[in-house]
Amino acid sequence: MALDDETFGLLKESVHRFVRDRLMPAEDHVEERDEVPQEIIDDMKNLGLFGLSIPEEYGGIGLSMAQECQVAYELGHTALAFRSVVGTNIGIGSQGILMDGTPEQKEKYLPEIASGDLIVAFALTEPDAGSDPASLKTRGVLEGDDYVLNGNKRYITNAPRAGAFTLMARTDGPGPNGISAFIVPANIDGISLGKPDKKMGQRGTKTCDVNLDNVHVSKDNIIGGIPGRGFKTAMKVLDRGRLHISALACGMADRILTESVLYAQQRKQFGQRIGDFQLIQAMLADSQAEILAGWSLVQAVARRYDAKPFGSFDPEVSMQASCAKMFTTEMVGRVADRGVQIHGGAGYINEYKVERFYRDVRLLRLYEGTTQIQQLVIGKHLMRAA
Ligand code: COS
């Protein structure tokens, strides 16, 4: 699945312009009001952003992973809250259905996900199951033709906006093989949302708890119709998500570097531009080289991801996606830190963008698997191969 080069070039150019003309001017609004304006969400729908990864037969644009990464790189150049509005529909919310869903489930949900009329969130994490999702406690008990779901999900991105959840629950014994993935409509009895999480950064990104109290869903809502496959579905979805986040990290690093260069060109001390001092240039150079290394890595791994059969698990590619996430999200942390340093005192003041980007990027090293989880995936793979 991929868009032809010419059409993709036009799309990428449209997203590039949209980021500069529409999103960047709204960054202060998002920061001050902690919301993404509805008009912008409507524009995102019109641009097709919700359906980037959904095949054309379901009304999406049908990008390959390599193409999706290029669009994520563009979206990474502005406040990360904008990307988060579309992020779950492009990635962790929709991909389980696309990879492992039945034809009926795909027909039913993917067109609305692609158009953005249905926001779908990914509900894996729980109060006691984050890095170790195989220990999750939300239960699904079969009663007649329905599963009855009970439990709590935590830090669920886009939950306040969601019309449905891709939700993992335990339908059998302990461990990964007892977990099933469900499609759960958000408006059914027994679902309630926690209060909005107050976060360090990424203002405008909406997360909260999702509580399930005797929620009845049909057994037909198990993704793929077969219980016990939910853990693997979730892991495959996360492999893909980790690449998308890596591209986003590179885009944001590039934006921070641009802000830093502009500041270094304008700010004068000791009678000259601070960018003319070699100690400032060294920081800029380190950031530029690391961004190039990270972005090259992401593109290479995305191409390998595209080369394997869609929805399959390739441990080598999975390990490489973890390498990309580990390297790029740590890298953007260093770039943001240097960005603040180059700005000096101004780097600590909210009206300069690097202050908020510094806070925004901190999350990238945490969600969709912490750096330490990526190290674990890489290390385990190497030890198995040896
Ligand atoms: N894709 C498909 N299947 C996978 C997979 C992947 N990426 N990774 C593992 N599996 C399979 C394994 O092959 C194994 O299958 P078998 O039982 O058939 O052998 C099964 O899943 C269990 O794998 P494993 O024993 O490696 O599972 P662990 O519980 O040890 O967990 C880690 C492995 C740590 C990698 C996993 O728990 C993880 O990624 N944790 C982080 C979760 C996360 O990112 N949370 C963020 C929340 S979402 S924002």
Side-chain angles (χ1 to χ4, degrees), residues 11-25 39-45 47 49 75 78 82:
L11 172 76
K12 205 174 115 180
E13 180 52 30
S14 304
V15 175
H16 183 85
R17 271 190 280 109
F18 182 67
V19 167
R20 270 145 195 84
D21 299 346
R22 193 79 176 96
L23 302 186
M24 285 182 181
E39 309 86 80
I40 287 189
I41 297 178
D42 293 341
D43 288 349
M44 288 172 154
K45 277 187 180 182
L47 206 52
L49 292 182
L75 292 172
T78 184
F82 293 120

Side-chain angles (χ1 to χ4, degrees), residues 324-366:
K325 170 128 189 329
M326 177 181 79
F327 182 81
T328 57
T329 61
E330 292 287 329
M331 175 276 284
V332 72
R334 292 190 294 273
V335 170
D337 190 69
R338 289 185 203 112
V340 169
Q341 199 66 19
I342 290 164
H343 279 70
Y348 208 65
I349 303 296
N350 183 259
E351 80 183 72
Y352 292 87
K353 299 287 173 73
V354 292
E355 183 272 343
R356 71 185 72 154
F357 293 156
Y358 177 86
R359 288 182 286 108
D360 285 357
V361 301
R362 191 64 185 80
L363 182 60
L364 301 182
R365 290 156 62 190
L366 305 174

Side-chain angles (χ1 to χ4, degrees), residues 122 125 130-131 133-134 176 231-232 235-236 238-239 242 313 318 368-369 373 376-377 380:
F122 180 74
T125 298
S131 289
F231 183 82
K232 286 180 187 168
M235 289 300 115
K236 287 191 294 182
L238 284 171
D239 281 346
R242 287 166 185 169
F313 169 42
S318 169
E368 301 198 24
I373 285 295
L376 207 75
V377 172
K380 269 169 88 171

Side-chain angles (χ1 to χ4, degrees), residues 45-107:
K45 277 187 180 182
N46 293 335
L47 206 52
L49 292 182
F50 287 92
L52 289 178
S53 63
I54 312 286
E56 287 177 272
E57 59 182 301
Y58 301 111
I61 296 183
L63 299 187
S64 66
M65 194 65 219
Q67 291 173 333
E68 181 187 317
C69 283
Q70 291 193 52
V71 176
Y73 179 83
E74 295 296 334
L75 292 172
H77 280 76
T78 184
L80 298 180
F82 293 120
R83 197 282 327 183
S84 92
V85 174
V86 293
T88 53
N89 277 37
I90 298 171
I92 53 179
S94 69
Q95 290 299 310
I97 304 173
L98 191 58
M99 288 177 184
D100 290 340
T102 62
E104 295 74 26
Q105 288 168 344
K106 292 181 195 185
E107 287 290 342

